[in-house]
Amino acid sequence: MSTGTAAVPTRTGQVLADLLPASRVRDIALVAGGAALTGLAAQIAVPVPGSPVPVTGQTFAALLVGTALGTGRGLVSLAMYALLGLAGVPWFASGSSGATVSFGYILGMLLAATVVGALARRGADRSVLRVAGTMLLGEAIIYAIGVPYLAVAADMSLTAAIAVGLTPFLLGDALKAALAMGALPTAWKFVNRES
């Protein structure tokens, strides 16, 4: 077996959330918990000089929620997060709410959670290299929606939006991907050992 690859368990087609006993209560709790986790992680916010967008734990949480819950529950969880934030719950970055200039990143998180959840069902969360690719794809989706939205909402050029809404965040996103590369395959190894 190669060094960055965990043995893929016999539970193909499952995400980590599927390992809990199935029930409607489980699904509701997971969806609400994923939204709450994303909201809490958004409070870890560090301002970036010259940018209206802070560095947060929000994107990391959103991608973990999508990966751990799968496509449907991940999408519903992030939709709950977005809709409640629009309705005034102060759990966007730094306790904000409503359609801020960075709301496009939240819209990107909805799509990214769906995509990484679908990939996780295909085993993309079970080896270091596959997790790296999955997280980087998720981040790319978030930026593909967030940066153009920022340009329009903040009335700036796309080049300026890239300079303040993408470039300063690349190193942090690499670190978040590295955390996921360790956490997700380790969780599957633990599950396989216990079963």
Side-chain angles (χ1 to χ4, degrees):
M1 185 182 326
S2 68
T3 308
T5 307
V8 177
T10 57
R11 297 177 190 93
T12 57
Q14 287 187 318
V15 293
L16 287 167
D18 294 331
L19 303 177
L20 299 171
S23 74
R24 186 170 300 277
V25 171
R26 172 202 71 177
D27 289 340
I28 292 168
L30 288 171
V31 165
L37 174 67
T38 306
L40 284 172
Q43 304 320 302
I44 302 168
V46 178
V48 175
S51 176
V53 182
V55 172
T56 69
Q58 180 181 29
T59 54
F60 179 66
L63 293 174
L64 283 181
V65 165
T67 305
L69 300 187
T71 302
R73 289 178 296 231
L75 173 62
V76 173
S77 184
L78 270 292
M80 174 187 282
Y81 171 68
L83 292 172
L84 288 174
L86 281 175
V89 173
W91 63 357
F92 291 164
S94 303
S96 64
S97 63
T100 64
V101 294
S102 61
F103 187 70
Y105 296 94
I106 295 168
L107 295 174
M109 288 177 214
L110 286 162
L111 180 57
T114 303
V115 170
V116 300
L119 292 172
R121 284 225 180 268
R122 292 168 178 80
D125 60 343
R126 300 178 194 186
S127 75
V128 171
L129 294 177
R130 292 172 84 185
V131 169
T134 300
M135 294 296 119
L136 293 175
L137 176 60
E139 290 286 352
I141 291 168
I142 293 168
Y143 286 121
I145 297 171
V147 172
Y149 184 100
L150 174 64
V152 171
D155 194 28
M156 62 177 68
S157 70
L158 186 57
T159 303
I162 290 169
V164 300
L166 169 66
T167 307
F169 303 96
L170 294 176
L171 178 60
D173 289 338
L175 293 173
K176 293 173 194 176
L179 286 171
M181 287 165 52
L184 293 166
T186 300
W188 277 109
K189 283 182 185 177
F190 179 76
V191 167
N192 289 335
R193 197 174 313 137
E194 296 297 313
S195 56

